[in-house]
Amino acid sequence: MSVYSMTGFASAAASLPDQGGEHGEDSDTPSASRKGLSGSVGAELRSVNSRFLDLSFKLADEFRGLEPALRELVTASFKRGKMEFRLQPQRAADAGWPQPQPDQLHTLARLEGMVQNWLPKAGPLSVNEVLNWCRAAAPAARLEEVAMQAARLCIEAMKEAREREGARLVAVLQDKLKGLKALAAQAEPLVPQAVQRQQERFVQKYEEALKAVGGTVTPEAAQERALSEAAAYALRIDVDEELQRLKAHLDEIGRLLKKGGEVGKRLDFLIQELHREANTLGSKAAALELTQVSVDMKVLIEQMREQVQNLE
């Protein structure tokens, strides 16, 4: 199963099929297929990351009634992301100026005469008003069908866009995982080395203290005390448990990326746990090398967090 990003953009358009325009049409109904008219709808969908699914719609007036159906389509396809859906009628490329048809002009003349019979003071139609009427889109019911078709095409395109972006993010995360695993392997031998150095330092200090007090403490007692101090020190700086948990989290992240699906929230939780273990590793660091490992880990973890926040 694929991993999907929450960021993406998609657009699509759909049009009414050509219906001929000259055979058997009602003279009172403008044909969408005639020159100068448009039966085409354009859809755009934009998405950015969000904790939940946050939808907003910017629809042309004739499509306001489609919002519930559009919302159902989107929620069935996406679970997270702040998404903006736009749906607008489109004009044909050659429809800058419509070409009025005789049946349209006949209808307008009849309607104008009817209005003026009842309202003698009503003014005549202007050329601009006539052209705007002739530019009217397809019948509402048919145009809504086209709008829903454009919406479905746009949603499918968005799925593909988010899948492509998700694949890119997975590749980045897997690369960071390799880096963290390498750092964890680098940290493991550093702790015994630090304990050994500290043990030698304790023995040296006690020997110096023994000479300073004139031999009132036996060398055996001094060495025993040094070893005891070294053991206590080893317990304080032991990070084996943290490293084991860190490696377990890394394995789980790798498993989730391979499994795919809606993994964003779980990955975000695991990233927090990784950061906690890296912080503990740094606070227990007894050697400069271990401190540097902790810093490098936190840099990689933060880079992973930025990418994980974009996953669905």
Side-chain angles (χ1 to χ4, degrees), residues 1-5 79-80 166 170 173 252-271 308-312:
M1 188 181 297
S2 299
V3 174
Y4 293 90
S5 170
K79 302 304 179 185
R80 295 178 68 197
V170 167
L173 290 170
E252 178 66 8
I253 290 174
R255 187 189 70 81
L256 289 173
L257 291 176
K258 185 176 180 180
K259 176 185 175 183
E262 300 166 24
V263 297
K265 288 184 177 180
R266 182 159 181 79
L267 287 175
D268 189 54
F269 170 76
L270 289 170
I271 292 296
V308 164
Q309 287 176 347
N310 289 321
L311 292 180
E312 185 176 49

Side-chain angles (χ1 to χ4, degrees), residues 7-27:
T7 59
F9 171 82
S11 63
S15 304
L16 283 172
D18 186 6
Q19 299 184 9
E22 298 294 337
H23 303 286
E25 290 185 347
D26 186 348
S27 62

Side-chain angles (χ1 to χ4, degrees), residues 223-248:
Q223 186 173 13
E224 183 180 349
R225 181 62 182 272
L227 292 175
S228 176
E229 292 287 347
Y233 175 78
L235 290 175
R236 290 199 304 272
I237 70 167
D238 182 25
V239 294
D240 182 68
E241 186 177 346
E242 286 77 8
L243 287 174
Q244 294 305 317
R245 284 198 298 263
L246 189 143
K247 288 192 285 188

Side-chain angles (χ1 to χ4, degrees), residues 135-170:
R135 192 183 281 124
R142 296 298 310 281
L143 196 59
E144 288 185 354
E145 294 176 9
V146 176
M148 293 302 293
Q149 181 184 358
R152 293 186 186 95
L153 292 173
C154 190
I155 288 172
E156 289 303 315
M158 175 60 84
K159 286 182 181 178
E160 294 174 2
R162 287 173 48 141
E163 183 176 7
R164 288 193 300 271
E165 177 67 10
R168 187 189 69 80
L169 295 178
V170 167

Side-chain angles (χ1 to χ4, degrees), residues 183-201 230-244 277 280-291 293-294 297:
L183 288 171
Q186 180 182 338
E188 282 184 315
L190 293 177
V191 175
Q193 293 172 11
V195 172
Q196 179 64 31
R197 287 196 301 269
Q198 191 64 28
Q199 179 178 325
E200 293 171 356
R201 190 177 299 117
Y233 175 78
L235 290 175
R236 290 199 304 272
I237 70 167
D238 182 25
V239 294
D240 182 68
E241 186 177 346
E242 286 77 8
L243 287 174
Q244 294 305 317
E277 303 303 341
T280 304
L281 185 66
S283 66
K284 288 186 174 183
L288 182 60
E289 297 90 339
L290 201 56
T291 301
V293 167
S294 173
M297 279 184 173

